[in-house]
Amino acid sequence: MFDHLERARLATLPTPIEDAGRPTVGGPRVWIKRDDLTGLGGGGNKARKLEFLCGDAVARGSKALLTVGASQSNHCRMTAAAGARLGLEVHLVLSGDAPAVGEPRRGNQLLSEMFGAQMHHTGAAESHWGELEVVREALTDSLAAEGLAPYSIPIGGSTAVGALGYALAFEELIDQFEAQGSMPRAIVFTSSSGGTHAGLLAGRAALIASGRLTLDSAPDVVAIGVAKGVNLGLPDVASLANDALALMDLDATVDPDDVEVDPNWMGDDYAVPTEAGTAAIAWAATTGGWLMDAVYSGKGLSGLLGLVASDRWGADDDVVFIHTGGWPALFA
């Protein structure tokens, strides 16, 4: 399904799955899929997307990568690392203001600086992604005029090409569970820009179409929405998944009814911490030594723990949480 596609080998794969036990008596067994250990630039889910995005960029002859994100964007940090690995110039369009003169960068910005990225601060609020995309488009035109043939990546790397990374990750996860003689009832993860979600649904549809899984045996794909857009149905995840399936040359379809987003764990807004998220971060740290952040993975885990507490799954079920990374933001 993937051999005909351009791919830059950037991630350390496969990532392990770890047993997190049963958070509630009589509840499901929870597993952590350690996509915080993808290796590139401190790890995280974006390494999988960047393998296909950067493969496409190199094939097109691009000399620069350009993307956008919040002030502590994990995606931007990892794009900077990918550029360093591949010898490409990297430009990052970020929310918020630049640090004051003499003030050091922290967290993901510090790492992006170490990887050699050029940062363009917009002053925009963390959740005003439209403003970032306007600047990205203008900067893309400017870099093109300089002859850099920039490869311009929307927020989160959430394109059909980027989604291929999680179509492949779905197959990897199923391989791991089949090897230990089990099958998860559900895959739960954090979603903000929709690309990881689309990729997982594309991978699920691909394995059903191949006959490897059935509709009854295939795990549910449950997104915990942490941004207003994805909670309102933007982008169109099913459409993005189907575009990814088309790139895979597969006659398979994701139906809009396959898309499940739980909007109850975002709190007031994107990047605003919640009490449940803070409690989930503490649970992860004390249960397995897992590091999660308040913007993304911590809120996603709070959603999983909340669904477990509501008895959505029973004692006979296995549920996987994909740990998408984000630990550098803890140091900001």
Side-chain angles (χ1 to χ4, degrees), residues 19-116:
D19 188 349
R22 299 181 188 274
T24 61
V25 176
R29 181 171 295 280
V30 172
W31 301 83
I32 307 294
K33 173 69 167 163
R34 296 292 306 276
D35 272 14
D36 59 317
L37 299 180
T38 52
L40 178 70
N45 65 324
K46 305 304 182 183
R48 294 186 185 270
K49 298 180 181 182
L50 286 164
E51 286 204 328
F52 290 96
L53 291 165
C54 290
D56 191 33
V58 171
R60 292 171 181 268
S62 297
K63 299 176 183 177
L65 302 174
L66 167 62
T67 196
V68 303
S71 60
Q72 284 295 322
S73 169
N74 296 301
H75 167 62
C76 285
R77 178 248 306 169
M78 297 190 72
T79 302
R85 179 86 70 87
L86 297 171
L88 301 174
E89 191 172 299
V90 176
H91 292 261
L92 306 176
V93 176
L94 300 172
S95 302
D97 299 319
V101 175
E103 180 182 353
R105 295 189 185 274
R106 295 182 173 86
N108 281 310
Q109 285 192 27
L110 171 62
L111 296 179
S112 295
E113 182 179 62
M114 290 173 63
F115 298 138

Side-chain angles (χ1 to χ4, degrees), residues 1 14 42 53 57-58 67 82 114 117 122 129 147 149 176 179 185 194 208 217 224 229 243 246 257 284 295 305 319:
M1 294 185 289
L53 291 165
V58 171
T67 196
M114 290 173 63
T122 63
W129 294 354
Q176 290 174 309
R185 188 72 208 91
I208 291 173
S217 67
I224 306 300
D243 289 344
D257 290 341
V295 173
L305 295 175
V319 178

Side-chain angles (χ1 to χ4, degrees), residues 1-7 52 164 244 247-248:
M1 294 185 289
F2 303 95
D3 288 347
H4 65 287
L5 297 162
E6 300 290 347
R7 184 180 176 191
F52 290 96
L164 294 168
L247 292 175
M248 295 159 66

Side-chain angles (χ1 to χ4, degrees), residues 3 8 105 171 173 197 299 301 306:
D3 288 347
R105 295 189 185 274
E171 183 179 32
L173 188 153
H197 195 178
K299 285 186 179 181
L301 181 63

Side-chain angles (χ1 to χ4, degrees), residues 4 102 117 122 147 172 187 223 241 252 256 264 302:
H4 65 287
T122 63
E172 176 185 299
I187 298 170
N264 297 311
S302 75

Side-chain angles (χ1 to χ4, degrees), residues 27 32 39 48 59 84 94-95 107 122 143 153 163 167-168 173 184 191 208 216 220 280 284 294 308 315 318 328:
I32 307 294
R48 294 186 185 270
L94 300 172
S95 302
T122 63
L143 295 175
I153 304 171
L168 182 58
L173 188 153
S191 181
I208 291 173
D216 289 335
D220 296 333
V308 168
D318 291 286

